[in-house]
Amino acid sequence: MAAAKIKKGDSVVVLSGKDKGKTGTVAKVMPKEGKVVVEGVNIAARHRKPTQQNPQGGIDRFEAPMSISKVAVADPKDGKPTRVRFEEKDGKKVRVAVKSGETIDG
């Protein structure tokens, strides 16, 4: 299995869909499903009937998982989407933004 290019806490840019162009922080990564949850992006609404636990009922809004292929890591320099490669620096494997060559901390 290849090393993960997107990790929890990364700043990402949405490449396609209704939220195209939005940026957010990765809240959760699901590598087996190939999905990520990004804060403030891909908001889904679920209408809930009143129950004993929730007597008010109403609409629950939450961030739904989206395909990992729809997001790209934001370049640390200018915030635009970039691909990620791995390099060896000081004996450690680090992620590097392809566009700017900056190291991605996360």
Side-chain angles (χ1 to χ4, degrees), residues 30-53:
M30 297 174 268
K32 284 187 179 171
E33 292 88 32
K35 296 189 180 283
V36 290
V37 175
V38 183
E39 291 173 5
V41 176
N42 198 28
I43 303 295
R46 166 114 338 136
H47 294 69
R48 301 279 187 191
K49 279 186 165 179
T51 62
Q52 284 189 332
Q53 289 84 17

Side-chain angles (χ1 to χ4, degrees), residues 2 4 6 10 14 19 28 33-34 42 64 70 76 85 94 101:
I6 296 176
D10 282 353
V14 179
D19 294 318
K28 186 177 181 183
E33 292 88 32
N42 198 28
K70 288 189 172 211
R85 72 168 170 254
V94 293

Side-chain angles (χ1 to χ4, degrees), residues 6-72:
I6 296 176
K7 298 186 188 240
K8 182 178 174 179
D10 282 353
S11 180
V12 294
V13 180
V14 179
L15 301 176
S16 64
K18 64 179 181 181
D19 294 318
K20 181 178 179 176
K22 285 189 181 177
T23 59
T25 308
V26 176
K28 186 177 181 183
V29 180
M30 297 174 268
K32 284 187 179 171
E33 292 88 32
K35 296 189 180 283
V36 290
V37 175
V38 183
E39 291 173 5
V41 176
N42 198 28
I43 303 295
R46 166 114 338 136
H47 294 69
R48 301 279 187 191
K49 279 186 165 179
T51 62
Q52 284 189 332
Q53 289 84 17
N54 183 12
Q56 185 67 33
I59 301 171
D60 285 348
R61 287 182 165 71
F62 59 95
E63 289 116 1
M66 61 193 304
S67 175
I68 205 162
S69 64
K70 288 189 172 211
V71 298

